[in-house]
Amino acid sequence: MLDDNEQISVTELRRQEVAEYNQNIAIYMAILKNLPTEWPEKLESFRNPKNQHKAIDEVPAESIELISQLWYADDVQHAIRTETLERTKAAAILAALEAQQK
Amino acid sequence: MSMLINPYVFGGPGFNPSTHIGSSGSPAYTYVKTYDWLTGTGFGTASTQRNAGIDFVRDFTFGKTDNYFGVSGSETPYAAAFPHTTASRLGAKFANPSPALAGTSYDVDFNVTDTAVAFAHSSSPCVTVYAFSGSGFGTKFANPGTAVDSTAAYGVNFGIDGSYIAASKQNSPYVAVYNWSGSGFGSKFSNPATYPSSRGNKVDFSRDMTMIAVAHETFPRVTAYPWSAAGFGTKLANPATPPTGDGMGVSFSPDGLSLAVAHVTAPSISVYPISVGGFGTKYGNPSPAISGNSQNSPAFSGQSLDIAIKHDNSPRLTVHAWNPGFGTKYANMPTISTYQGAASFKTKI
């Protein structure tokens, strides 16, 4: 069983964790505003490569910057979803810890 | 009727045997070499010794595709890698990575396809990952959205299925796991409900990806959790007989049936039967006793038939048969090192 000081410490760490997810989500959403998200048909075949560092060698030189942005936009959109998923877990644990302290 | 078998799940007969074992510290701290390895026979022919150029070798590991050997160490650029093939053994060092790591590197791991190599190190970002290929180090992957630690990470481990990267680290919660893909770090998984008790030194996933264990400082010195795509499960109850000193390294056997913890204080190694149901009764200690503290992860050979232990005093690397339980000790490696950085078998996945 945790003593009061340990309980406060664990709760504070969990608060920080939730805050980190909140910050990440806010940053990713801001990043997304400045990235293209519509894939041109001619580049669709490059979407979702197993290894971006390998796949970039196959991309036409004039499209490297655009496809880098599109890949990153896809990654960021996925990150917003998974950061939200993990934030939900951490927030649920935090809520339980805070309830114990009341 | 055909039956699908996940090749990563099953150890034991049918799983690839280990073909080589790594060594460091001869003739000086910065040198590495490898020996051929044959279960039942032991150390064979040595490779050419190579200068890693990073002073004190802290850790080394083989790649998983029969091609590479990675080294972490104490002096800039703190990271080195070599080709390593069965035919040619240890080749000439690849060019140093750029940018260099930010500080002393304590652990190195390749992902399952050897297309990425990760280093745990001091100073932010504490874990750095580079793309890797037959040309050596490639571009550094972007750092994760949530920093691994503000001080240091001491262990890093890719899940064998290629979807995760775990770090053991200086500050609470002492362990962190991130999604991993061909585009690099994904989101950090939420922290476990119950953290390890102190600084995480090394971390390992079981081969079937159903468990994750951390060797750490202070009682109980090893903490294990079930693992799934949803992240950490409920912490397993501590072993009935915990390690006698700080946990410095941890390894699951490839068959997933045993968990070995390297630690300070005799007997320096504690091995337990393990499953998602919990720890079993600690196996008997090896004989002869391990000489000196063991301060890095032990290594099981590919078919879970041998266990290698790095320790402080001569012969510094001891290998026993594993059955499970400690069997006969193998003859020492032909040239005793002045320092042994790690225990690592080469096993092609």
Side-chain angles (χ1 to χ4, degrees):
Chain A
M1 197 70 182
L2 298 176
D3 64 30
D4 286 351
N5 286 339
E6 287 171 328
Q7 182 83 354
I8 289 165
S9 169
V10 166
T11 305
E12 185 50 40
L13 285 165
R14 198 62 71 170
R15 247 181 229 126
Q16 287 173 16
E17 188 185 12
V18 172
E20 282 174 349
Y21 288 124
N22 283 335
Q23 186 180 35
N24 287 347
I25 291 165
I27 290 170
Y28 286 135
M29 291 183 89
I31 290 169
L32 204 52
K33 283 182 182 165
N34 297 317
L35 290 173
T37 55
E38 294 297 319
W39 280 76
E41 196 175 327
K42 65 172 185 174
L43 296 179
E44 271 288 347
S45 61
F46 294 107
R47 200 165 188 178
N48 300 320
K50 280 187 177 174
N51 184 327
Q52 291 177 348
H53 285 208
K54 274 190 173 176
I56 199 73
D57 289 337
E58 310 297 322
V59 175
E62 68 276 9
S63 300
I64 287 175
E65 186 161 356
L66 174 59
I67 208 160
S68 299
Q69 291 175 327
L70 289 165
W71 278 342
Y72 190 45
D74 281 356
D75 290 345
V76 167
Q77 290 180 83
H78 179 64
I80 290 169
R81 289 169 179 270
T82 52
E83 295 278 332
T84 303
L85 169 71
E86 297 304 320
R87 180 184 63 182
T88 303
K89 296 179 202 170
I93 297 171
L94 174 60
L97 289 168
E98 288 176 332
Q100 281 181 349
Q101 286 178 328
K102 284 177 184 168
Chain B
M1 190 172 79
S2 66
M3 190 166 74
L4 288 174
I5 296 177
N6 180 344
Y8 305 142
V9 171
F10 300 97
F15 206 70
N16 287 332
S18 295
T19 55
H20 298 81
I21 187 168
S23 170
S24 70
S26 175
Y29 287 174
T30 189
Y31 282 81
V32 290
K33 65 181 165 185
T34 68
Y35 291 93
D36 294 356
W37 180 261
L38 186 62
T39 293
T41 300
F43 293 92
T45 304
S47 71
T48 302
Q49 62 193 24
R50 303 283 183 183
N51 186 346
I54 49 178
D55 193 28
F56 201 98
V57 170
R58 295 276 186 165
D59 192 74
F60 50 74
T61 192
F62 291 92
K64 298 180 175 75
T65 62
D66 194 30
N67 286 321
Y68 308 121
F69 186 74
V71 187
S72 63
S74 299
E75 195 168 86
T76 189
Y78 309 108
F82 301 81
H84 189 284
T85 62
T86 299
S88 305
R89 302 190 180 92
L90 196 63
K93 194 177 89 148
F94 288 114
N96 294 334
S98 179
L101 300 180
T104 293
S105 177
Y106 303 98
D107 199 12
V108 52
D109 196 31
F110 289 92
N111 70 341
V112 69
T113 53
D114 285 348
T115 52
V117 61
F119 293 88
H121 57 85
S122 60
S123 302
S124 182
C126 299
V127 169
T128 297
V129 187
Y130 301 93
F132 207 84
S133 70
S135 308
F137 290 98
T139 306
K140 184 180 94 64
F141 283 95
N143 298 333
T146 300
V148 174
D149 200 272
S150 57
T151 309
Y154 301 101
V156 64
N157 196 292
F158 282 106
I160 202 83
D161 71 351
S163 301
Y164 312 108
I165 181 170
S168 47
K169 61 203 205 73
Q170 177 72 46
N171 296 312
S172 184
Y174 310 113
V175 61
V177 183
Y178 298 79
N179 285 290
W180 181 262
S181 71
S183 56
F185 286 95
S187 295
K188 184 179 84 66
F189 282 90
S190 54
N191 299 331
T194 307
Y195 304 161
S197 58
S198 191
R199 168 177 142 167
N201 284 321
K202 290 289 183 292
V203 59
D204 195 24
F205 284 104
S206 62
R207 188 65 64 95
D208 65 0
M209 297 302 295
T210 61
M211 292 178 278
I212 182 171
V214 184
H216 56 85
E217 295 187 348
T218 75
F219 184 88
R221 305 179 185 105
V222 60
T223 296
Y225 306 87
W227 179 260
S228 71
F232 291 95
T234 303
K235 182 181 97 65
L236 301 187
N238 298 333
T241 310
T244 48
D246 287 343
M248 306 303 288
V250 63
S251 290
F252 285 95
S253 59
D255 60 15
L257 300 176
S258 306
L259 182 71
V261 185
H263 54 87
V264 298
T265 310
S268 302
I269 182 83
S270 296
V271 191
Y272 306 87
I274 194 164
S275 69
V276 289
F279 287 90
T281 304
K282 180 171 116 50
Y283 286 106
N285 298 330
S287 178
I290 299 299
S291 178
N293 295 327
S294 184
Q295 303 196 60
N296 208 338
S297 291
F300 287 95
S301 60
Q303 296 184 315
S304 305
L305 294 173
D306 315 295
I307 181 171
I309 302 151
K310 160 239 164 18
H311 50 95
D312 287 352
N313 300 335
S314 180
R316 299 188 179 86
L317 181 66
T318 295
V319 189
H320 283 260
W322 184 255
N323 52 29
F326 287 98
T328 306
K329 176 185 166 301
Y330 283 92
N332 294 333
M333 60 182 158
T335 304
I336 303 295
S337 301
T338 53
Y339 178 79
Q340 179 73 14
S344 180
F345 283 106
K346 178 176 188 175
T347 306
K348 187 177 176 185
I349 300 296

